[in-house]
Amino acid sequence: MTPNHTAHRSSPATARVAVVTGGSRGIGRAVSGRLARDGLAVVVNYAHDASAAEETVSAITTAGGRAIGVPADVADEDAVAALFDRTEREFGGVDVVVNCAGRLALSPIADLDLEVLDALHRTNIRGAFVTAQQAARRLRAGGSFVGFSTSVVGTRFPAYGAYAASKAAVESLTLILARELRGRDITVNTVAPGPTATDLFFEGKTDQEIDRLAKTPPLERLGTPEDIAQVVAFLAGPAGRWVNGQVLRANGGMV
């Protein structure tokens, strides 16, 4: 079975439906699994790694949930529109959109290759905008949009200039979208994780750097993808309906 193949059980038309971009790995995979456990049908979006998407879909369906994998580059407006079209055909509508897709590039500002900057911002800013645009057009009443930023917007660690700049843009986009959707009963928030134990976080870091970052929060550990998925589930679920237009820094107490 390819991840683009339907893999879900029949469900009532009233079931809630989530689209999770970048949903096949890391935090996105944890979010996909958690929302599925909460009873949502989940569309696991991925860019290139079909095998990771298949693993995520299989884990959900084996546990009795409903999921399909759908490829799309989040910065491609036609591909993202097709992603939402497929979601509506398969499950009848869209209630939750979680934009986990993102890139990370670390470099001092003086040394960063501008082609790397363009690629990072294409995914992190344009991709966030395209996904938010489709969410604004498609989400049903009672729905939620959850974007992803980073706590580095506040901590301002060296070498994170390009990444933090892209995520600061996401925060502004999210807060404005929340106000633009006035009257539609749709919440819009952003989660800003601190250091979280994912492949993306570990890439290119020494053991000493990882240990230092793990000790930065007062809780003195790295976050886990499941920690962040819990926050997303709260914002997307009934308990989070009064939280709107906010950036929630899930980082163990970092400033």
Side-chain angles (χ1 to χ4, degrees):
M1 181 190 74
T2 64
N4 198 37
H5 181 77
T6 301
H8 63 89
R9 297 179 177 182
S10 61
S11 59
T14 55
R16 300 184 79 221
V17 179
V19 173
V20 182
T21 70
S24 66
R25 300 176 61 192
I27 290 172
R29 174 177 286 186
V31 168
S32 296
R34 174 56 199 267
L35 294 180
R37 291 194 296 275
D38 285 349
L40 281 77
V42 180
V43 175
V44 178
N45 161 254
Y46 63 100
H48 305 294
D49 194 343
S51 62
E54 183 172 348
E55 289 173 7
T56 304
V57 169
S58 178
I60 290 170
T61 57
T62 299
R66 293 161 292 140
I68 58 173
V70 181
D73 173 359
V74 291
D76 181 335
E77 62 270 32
D78 294 330
V80 175
L83 165 67
F84 278 78
D85 288 343
R86 175 79 186 277
T87 302
E88 291 174 341
R89 286 196 305 272
E90 294 286 346
F91 296 118
V94 184
D95 302 285
V96 174
V97 176
V98 185
N99 186 44
C100 293
R103 288 175 180 258
L104 173 65
L106 300 180
S107 169
I109 292 169
D111 301 330
L112 181 65
D113 184 329
L114 294 182
E115 290 187 2
V116 174
L117 176 70
D118 290 343
L120 185 147
H121 282 191
R122 184 178 187 276
T123 297
N124 291 4
I125 298 178
R126 181 184 171 91
F129 194 97
V130 169
T131 303
Q133 189 173 62
Q134 286 295 325
R137 295 171 179 173
R138 312 265 195 150
L139 279 168
R140 297 187 282 206
S144 299
F145 177 86
V146 181
F148 264 82
S149 179
T150 172
S151 287
V152 179
V153 171
T155 60
R156 304 177 184 92
F157 292 150
Y160 282 82
Y163 182 67
S166 72
K167 293 303 188 176
V170 170
E171 293 188 10
S172 294
L173 168 67
T174 305
L175 300 182
I176 290 170
L177 182 61
R179 286 149 181 83
E180 290 181 348
L181 297 185
R182 173 184 291 273
R184 287 183 50 188
D185 189 27
I186 294 170
T187 63
V188 182
N189 296 286
T190 281
V191 178
T196 305
T198 65
D199 291 343
L200 187 66
F201 169 80
F202 290 123
E203 184 176 338
K205 293 184 177 69
T206 66
D207 289 344
Q208 291 77 14
E209 289 171 329
I210 293 167
D211 186 61
R212 175 179 56 80
L213 288 168
K215 287 184 168 56
T216 300
L219 294 180
E220 294 193 339
R221 68 170 176 87
L222 295 176
T224 68
E226 290 72 25
D227 288 328
I228 308 306
Q230 298 269 28
V231 176
V232 172
F234 164 71
L235 293 173
R241 294 306 300 169
W242 195 232
V243 181
N244 189 33
Q246 303 299 317
V247 177
L248 201 164
R249 304 211 181 283
N251 59 24
M254 293 170 60
V255 175

